[in-house]
Amino acid sequence: MKQEIVIIATDQINKAGICIPASELMSGVETHSKDSVKAGLPPGTPSYIQHDMHRPAGWMEILGHVIDGAMVRLFGVFHQVETDEEKTALNSITSAYWSHFHREGMQVYQEELVQRISPSQLGDGVYLRIEACVISRINLAAELYPNLFSHSSGLVDKDGLTDYRALTKLLKQVQPGVFIDDERGLVLFAHRYFRRSFSHQNKLNGYFLNSFDVASADLDKVKPRLRLDPDLIGHSQTVNFLLEQEYWRGPRFTDDIASLPSGVTELKADNRNRYFEGVDRTQVWWKSAESRTEDDKNIEYRTFEIEELIENSADSLGNDYFGCRYAHAEYSLSLNSITHFDGAIRSYAANNYLDRIDTAIDRAGKRSDYTKLFRFDGPMPVDRWKRLLNDFFRGNPLVPEYLGTSEADEQQPSAPPPDEPAATEPDLCAMIVLEAPQTSDDWNRVQRFMINSWEMTLPNGQIVHAFETGCAAIEQFFRSKIQFNDAISVEFSDGKLNLPQMLFGNSPDFPQYMIDVVTGLAPALRVDIENSRITGVAVAITWQHDGLLTTLSIRGLADLVERVLRRLFEVVDPTEAASVWIEPLSQLIKELAPTGFPTINLTGVLQQRLMYEHSYEEPLTMRVDASIAQALASVGVSGSDIVGEPD
């Protein structure tokens, strides 16, 4: 199984203009971690290719929040499955995860939904938790709202599209494609074909549905129509906004359609886009100018068709069916506007699709099941049409490529000018990790204080416990707090010090004892700094709060770490959740070590604490008791690099 450290989120404004404060990032991890413990699930979430729940890729394990003077970043490690055995294990854990996710905390709302859909019955309906707590059952919404689905109502055309303006007068749109009926406490949705893989398990295409809504509001001479989902009903009190860390933005368009040559253009995806986006190619067809008579006027127009041809079948359409997005438009040469625009899904049985994919769109004919999703009638500016077209084909980079990117969009990031300073490693950073308590007997959770050692093999084969303390004032401080017994103290000669992890249990004098130990460490660190023994230090502190272990590690210039230790509990309250104090801690680090560049040194992150990577070019100094010193001397290890303890 491959592993890769990834950035899941930051507290900075992203390309979509969204900013999630560090406290909210941490709050989400706290909720998730406690929920995982309760459900008996491993920490983390399933990971999917392009957010498509039908294309599992692996498991995303949450590591922790790394804080420096530039930003706060939430890191994870992505475990990518490779073997059949790993895929089977992933399917099992993913199934358990989603079963818990769709059920946990939703029982009350599910019962209320059953009451609200009466006299319709749940039948073979399935509960899901997507943009709201919902029931998915064939024709459930159509039964409850026949006026929005039946052609006889006058609001629905022959293709099954609902008058959008009438819809938004009857129901309140609370987010793109999500409509609330306040009177009945129910929610309707845009059709599932606006979702990846046409599946209720995936999020709606908010980019297109938002552009559709804005165009409908701006263009009063255009008649917009939209297909609703006949099979999905939600609970109005559970509506939430699903956030995908995806940025989809089209180019700055031009509108010189009249000069485009007639014929078919085919754009082929590269291997990367075929894998991630699932698109093999996209075909575009501009027909020659035609004319017809409307209101006794001769109208010249050009017809446009576009269809993407995909890589993967869609299980939600049936066995071995391929669903392809398709759009059609008419451009008026006299008005210089789009006067008709619609989009649909063409679904092909496997045999028909094999023929279709090798045939140009102008010769393909009608071999598919056709479901129209939206329609505009009336004059629409070309740039607005291109925006809608681009958003309808979200995730297909061949569409904006064809529509035309401006020179500004094509520019690639360039190397910094020679006189611009390169990014330097921040002088100070921290990491906060939350994890479930382990079942190990290594540490009694009510034990007052202990420090973690690491195993060291001596030249004679003897294995001893070792603590990295620096063999000076810091070591004496630790020995005043805890018995080292036969453990070895070590000091690396590179000036960097990874202090042993300090663990504090829920003893009667917690947290005061922890505060006394950590702040008391600062004077010892100051002594070793002044004796020129240490230039950089990494500290890690672990305690328990609300059923989770919290580990706070700090790494940086020794002088700055010493200053943080003195002020740490002015900003960190160990009796509160980390979401309460992560932002004050971030502010302290920014105050002491402001920088524009986040740390790129991730040493120790996989061990859930920040550390230094040591250089072993010079001798290792060890402080040992007399018996260990004699054992080392017997195999020829002696001299100034061993400091013996008195008998």
Side-chain angles (χ1 to χ4, degrees), residues 207 271 374 618:
Y207 283 100
N271 289 336
F374 69 89
E618 298 181 34

Side-chain angles (χ1 to χ4, degrees), residues 402-417:
Y402 171 76
L403 292 173
T405 305
S406 71
E407 292 182 3
D409 291 326
E410 290 175 347
Q411 290 177 357
Q412 299 297 317
S414 57

Side-chain angles (χ1 to χ4, degrees), residues 62-101:
I62 297 172
L63 290 177
H65 294 75
V66 174
I67 308 165
D68 49 48
M71 64 182 67
V72 177
R73 291 172 292 169
L74 174 59
F75 278 88
V77 56
F78 173 52
H79 302 271
Q80 183 179 3
V81 295
E82 296 178 292
T83 67
D84 290 340
E85 183 179 356
E86 290 170 350
K87 291 176 182 177
T88 300
L90 175 65
N91 289 337
S92 175
I93 191 174
T94 296
S95 177
Y97 175 90
W98 286 117
S99 176
H100 174 75
F101 176 85

Side-chain angles (χ1 to χ4, degrees), residues 58 211 216 231 271 391 405 436 544 612:
S211 295
S216 301
D231 307 328
N271 289 336
D391 288 344
T405 305
Q544 187 167 310
Y612 283 107

Side-chain angles (χ1 to χ4, degrees), residues 161-221:
L161 305 183
T162 304
D163 185 312
Y164 188 74
R165 292 198 175 96
L167 169 67
T168 52
K169 286 181 180 178
L170 293 171
L171 305 179
K172 178 174 65 177
Q173 183 172 223
V174 291
Q175 57 180 276
V178 180
F179 308 92
I180 284 184
D181 179 353
D182 285 325
E183 184 176 341
R184 301 172 72 173
L186 296 174
V187 185
L188 275 76
F189 301 85
H191 198 273
R192 67 183 172 94
Y193 285 3
F194 287 109
R195 302 175 186 269
R196 289 184 176 89
S197 290
F198 319 118
S199 168
H200 284 152
Q201 296 181 41
N202 287 320
K203 183 181 181 297
L204 286 166
N205 181 349
Y207 283 100
F208 172 75
L209 292 167
N210 181 67
S211 295
F212 183 95
D213 182 66
V214 172
S216 301
D218 292 347
L219 305 174
D220 55 2
K221 294 183 179 180

Side-chain angles (χ1 to χ4, degrees), residues 315-571:
D315 293 341
S316 58
L317 296 179
N319 292 332
D320 290 330
Y321 263 77
F322 293 77
C324 300
R325 287 177 290 191
Y326 166 87
H328 162 264
E330 291 182 359
Y331 172 76
S332 169
L333 295 172
S334 58
L335 296 177
N336 292 324
S337 297
I338 298 294
T339 53
H340 169 84
F341 174 38
D342 64 72
I345 297 298
R346 286 177 164 177
S347 58
Y348 299 85
N351 290 338
N352 290 339
Y353 190 63
L354 290 175
D355 294 333
R356 169 65 187 93
I357 200 169
D358 290 325
T359 306
I361 189 173
D362 61 339
R363 299 179 181 273
K366 297 181 179 180
R367 310 181 192 181
S368 66
D369 294 329
Y370 181 87
T371 304
K372 190 171 290 187
L373 296 179
F374 69 89
R375 176 172 174 167
F376 287 98
D377 290 294
M380 175 184 292
V382 171
D383 59 346
R384 180 65 64 93
W385 168 69
K386 288 185 173 180
R387 163 54 60 201
L388 286 159
L389 183 67
N390 184 76
D391 288 344
F392 178 58
F393 284 93
R394 172 198 59 174
N396 181 345
L398 301 176
V399 175
E401 177 185 329
Y402 171 76
L403 292 173
T405 305
S406 71
E407 292 182 3
D409 291 326
E410 290 175 347
Q411 290 177 357
Q412 299 297 317
S414 57
D419 57 347
E420 183 175 317
T424 57
E425 179 64 21
D427 294 333
L428 182 67
C429 51
M431 183 178 184
I432 305 171
V433 173
L434 304 180
E435 60 179 325
Q438 304 299 311
T439 57
S440 169
D441 295 329
D442 291 345
W443 178 38
N444 185 336
R445 299 305 169 193
V446 297
Q447 186 172 337
R448 192 185 198 197
F449 174 52
M450 68 171 288
I451 56 178
N452 270 352
S453 63
W454 48 280
E455 289 187 345
M456 181 177 182
T457 304
L458 300 179
N460 66 350
Q462 181 180 354
I463 297 177
V464 297
H465 291 281
F467 298 109
E468 190 176 334
T469 62
C471 300
I474 291 175
E475 185 206 353
Q476 293 303 320
F477 173 79
F478 278 126
R479 286 181 180 271
S480 72
K481 301 295 181 183
I482 197 167
Q483 292 293 324
F484 274 40
N485 298 323
D486 61 350
I488 291 178
S489 297
V490 300
E491 175 188 18
F492 289 85
S493 54
D494 57 5
K496 304 295 192 299
L497 184 61
N498 293 316
L499 290 179
Q501 183 177 4
M502 296 175 279
L503 304 101
F504 297 88
N506 290 330
S507 60
D509 54 359
F510 177 86
Q512 189 56 52
Y513 184 74
M514 181 175 81
I515 295 172
D516 293 343
V517 170
V518 174
T519 55
L521 178 61
L525 176 56
R526 170 52 55 189
V527 171
D528 284 347
I529 292 171
E530 292 176 352
N531 290 332
S532 301
R533 303 183 70 92
I534 301 172
T535 57
V537 63
V539 179
I541 314 158
T542 298
W543 67 95
Q544 187 167 310
H545 174 75
D546 198 18
L548 298 174
L549 295 182
T550 301
T551 297
L552 169 61
S553 58
I554 304 161
R555 183 188 68 201
L557 297 181
D559 179 70
L560 291 175
V561 173
E562 183 250 346
R563 292 166 66 184
V564 170
L565 294 179
R566 292 183 184 275
R567 298 177 55 185
L568 185 62
F569 296 103
E570 297 174 9
V571 295

